[in-house]
């Protein structure tokens, strides 16, 4: 699954069972098998972690996050709003360093995490990512 390989993800901080004990850590998707719902994630050392798509988190789309922050400002404290805008500004700049920095902001606050990230499962369904091996047909 080329569309997801190399994408930064966070292992859900409240994941109860994680054989490689990486809850709340940022990793990079190494391999994807959507048929089996198995995502292998690397963490820069040690073994790859194998997760289902609902155990991993990704940042919301930057435009969606910006809209959510502006429309939800009445329902949050000033620090949460500031953190969301800071996170969103980091998303505006491409590169792993900026995305990783944005994820770290989200991980520092349960409220910011809730407002800024979605499960990889939701991301896949929103973006209609499919396992192309199932959908390729050749005509002769």
């Amino acid at each position: 699954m080329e569309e997801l390989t190399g994408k930064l993800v966070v292992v859900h901080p409240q994941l109860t069972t994680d054989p490689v004990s990486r809850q709340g850590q940022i990793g990079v998707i190494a391999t994807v098998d959507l048929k089996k719902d198995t995502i292998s994630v690397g963490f820069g050392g040690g073994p790859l972690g194998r997760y289902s798509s609902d155990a991993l988190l990704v940042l919301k789309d930057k435009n969606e996050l910006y809209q959510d922050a502006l429309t939800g400002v009445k329902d949050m404290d000033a620090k949460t709003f500031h953190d969301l805008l800071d996170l969103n500004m980091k998303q505006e700049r491409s590169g792993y360093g900026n995305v990783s920095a944005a994820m770290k902001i989200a991980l520092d606050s349960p409220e910011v995490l809730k407002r800024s990230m979605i499960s990889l499962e939701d991301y896949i369904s929103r973006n209609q990512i499919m396992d192309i091996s199932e959908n390729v047909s050749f005509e002769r």
Side-chain angles (χ1 to χ4, degrees), residues 31-97:
T31 63
V32 176
D33 183 343
L34 291 180
K35 287 183 211 171
K36 294 180 182 177
D37 191 32
T38 303
I39 317 295
S40 296
V41 178
F43 298 95
L48 292 177
R50 295 170 58 104
Y51 303 94
S52 63
S53 58
D54 65 343
L56 300 171
L57 302 173
V58 296
L59 290 169
K60 284 183 179 179
D61 172 75
K62 62 185 175 185
N63 297 324
E64 179 185 355
L65 179 60
Y66 184 72
Q67 275 305 106
D68 289 352
L70 292 181
T71 58
V73 69
K74 294 179 190 174
D75 301 329
M76 64 182 88
D77 62 32
K79 176 147 178 38
T80 299
F81 182 69
H82 176 268
D83 287 347
L84 286 171
L85 291 182
D86 188 24
L87 184 155
N88 192 243
M89 284 191 292
K90 290 185 183 342
Q91 281 184 295
E92 288 292 327
R93 296 180 225 114
S94 61
Y96 283 112

Side-chain angles (χ1 to χ4, degrees), residues 12-39:
H12 200 295
Q14 279 111 27
L15 187 64
T16 54
T17 305
D18 183 355
V20 292
S21 298
R22 298 291 186 157
Q23 296 95 328
Q25 293 186 25
I26 300 168
V28 179
I29 295 177
T31 63
V32 176
D33 183 343
L34 291 180
K35 287 183 211 171
K36 294 180 182 177
D37 191 32
T38 303
I39 317 295

Side-chain angles (χ1 to χ4, degrees), residues 1-7 29 32 34 39 120 123-124 129:
M1 179 61 24
E2 291 177 31
E3 296 165 6
L4 296 174
T5 303
K7 186 166 187 61
I29 295 177
V32 176
L34 291 180
I39 317 295
L120 183 61
Y123 175 85
I124 291 168
I129 295 172

